Amino acid sequence: MKRWIPFVTVMLALFQGVSAGDSLIVYSGRGEALVGPLLEQFTRQTGIEVRATYQGTPALATQLLAEGRDTPADVILAQDAGYLAVLVKRDLLAPLPATLLEQVDPRFRDRGGRWIGTSGRARVLVYNPQQTDGGELPKRLADLADPRWRGRLGWAPGNASFQAHVSALRHLWGEQATREWLRAVQANQPVVYPKNSPQVQAVASGEIRVGWVNHYYLHKLRNQVGDRATNASLPTPGDAGNVLMPSGAAIVAATRKRESALTLLQFLVSEEAQRYFAQQTFEYPTRPGVPTHPDVPPLDSLNLADVAPEFLTDLEPTLVMLRELGLQ
């Protein structure tokens, strides 16, 4: 694993109240293989021990809701920001200082100032160019309801990114149109997967023709799938399929270690941590000026839909809709 130069020591001076003996309990909805090295780097640089619990974001958010103000957690890292918004509504997350929030692109932060984006993922279609010509792909996300995709599509309704994307669709298309589209795609008998990476592998093996995933899974699995899988953004400018969504971090309101928690969040949006997300995990940095990985298309090439952060995080009505449709 590549090592990084220490992040700006001036940042540490901002938090004079932090002692090297402090430890933080972090609920991480991001996998240990992904963020573990970064948290270890943080400890080496600050002396602040991190004790992380790794589970899926929905499970950790549910746990925090159950624990309430008695939670031992100090910080939560979320795969998708939708569950952070649920915690905001329950007043379980602390407000963040403007000096921290202003360090990231406005698309990657809570307008209410309770969470901050640490990296971004673009929603894409993944396909096997040896089996499907790029010209055959849908021009719009709505086209996945076409019967010609019957039995050829994969999706992951239990995945937090799927749920965040449906939340955006509810605002872009309206409640009824989104419900009708989901029903039409269901009628095409899509293959259900627990998460995104199996869809990339299924495309490469020929099990499905198209998967609906986050962009970075292809890059993470490149050594396994070779040239048997590639990503495609939908070509229609501003299409609802071309959504950018953040992973986020927040401070738990009940923490007694606010200064240490702030130090961790500052580290996660520092230039070196943002370079890690860009170069090691193939995600989009949230801090302006940090370059993306050479294999990852720049954001301005993706024909992105104009999606406000609060659209992605309006999760509770989405979960109700998915349950009513039998997708949860």
Side-chain angles (χ1 to χ4, degrees), residues 27-294:
Y27 284 3
S28 179
R30 311 221 67 189
E32 184 173 7
L34 193 154
V35 299
L38 201 56
L39 297 178
E40 291 172 5
Q41 180 74 4
F42 169 76
T43 295
R44 283 193 295 272
Q45 293 189 7
T46 64
I48 300 171
E49 180 186 358
V50 173
R51 294 163 53 198
T53 295
Y54 296 99
Q55 288 190 61
T57 296
L60 287 173
T62 300
Q63 181 176 337
L64 212 161
L65 286 167
E67 294 167 342
R69 294 282 173 167
D70 295 324
T71 182
D74 302 301
V75 170
I76 181 167
L77 307 181
Q79 178 78 358
D80 285 278
Y83 284 91
L84 294 178
V86 173
L87 298 174
V88 168
K89 290 180 181 178
R90 301 297 193 277
D91 200 28
L92 293 174
L93 302 181
L96 301 176
T99 52
L100 174 64
L101 294 163
E102 291 168 357
Q103 293 181 49
V104 305
D105 185 308
R107 291 177 293 184
F108 296 108
R109 64 186 190 226
D110 174 33
R111 292 187 183 182
R114 298 297 180 102
W115 58 263
I116 192 166
T118 53
S119 61
R121 290 79 43 72
R123 294 288 284 174
V124 297
L125 299 179
V126 62
Y127 72 103
N128 186 337
Q130 298 175 9
Q131 293 187 330
T132 303
D133 185 273
E136 301 176 45
L137 294 175
K139 301 298 187 291
R140 304 171 304 143
L141 184 68
D143 296 340
L144 288 177
D146 192 303
R148 74 189 185 92
W149 294 107
R150 185 179 180 87
R152 305 170 76 191
L153 170 70
W155 68 358
N159 180 260
S161 296
F162 178 103
Q163 295 161 5
H165 200 158
V166 172
S167 298
L169 297 181
R170 291 178 32 247
H171 289 272
L172 294 170
W173 289 349
E175 302 284 342
Q176 188 59 34
T178 300
R179 185 183 294 269
E180 290 173 358
W181 179 79
L182 288 169
R183 282 199 182 108
V185 177
Q186 278 182 286
N188 283 337
Q189 299 180 345
V191 182
V192 177
Y193 295 93
K195 53 186 179 179
N196 288 320
S197 52
Q199 293 184 67
V200 178
Q201 294 164 327
V203 162
S205 69
E207 181 178 327
I208 56 174
R209 291 298 183 92
V210 174
W212 186 25
V213 301
N214 294 337
H215 80 278
Y216 69 110
Y217 287 96
L218 171 70
H219 302 288
K220 290 170 61 177
L221 295 170
R222 178 59 73 192
N223 290 339
Q224 297 180 34
V225 303
D227 60 359
R228 291 173 289 116
T230 190
N231 285 339
S233 293
L234 293 149
T236 303
D239 186 76
N242 298 331
V243 169
L244 179 66
M245 55 184 61
S247 289
I251 296 174
V252 178
T255 183
R256 297 181 180 179
K257 304 168 188 171
R258 179 173 172 80
E259 298 303 322
S260 294
L262 275 172
T263 304
L264 176 57
L265 265 62
Q266 176 66 66
F267 173 73
L268 292 173
V269 299
S270 69
E271 286 194 22
E272 71 174 285
Q274 290 291 293
R275 286 196 302 272
Y276 172 88
F277 284 122
Q279 302 303 319
Q280 302 298 322
T281 71
F282 305 98
E283 295 175 274
Y284 288 102
T286 61
R287 187 184 188 94
V290 177
T292 58
H293 190 282

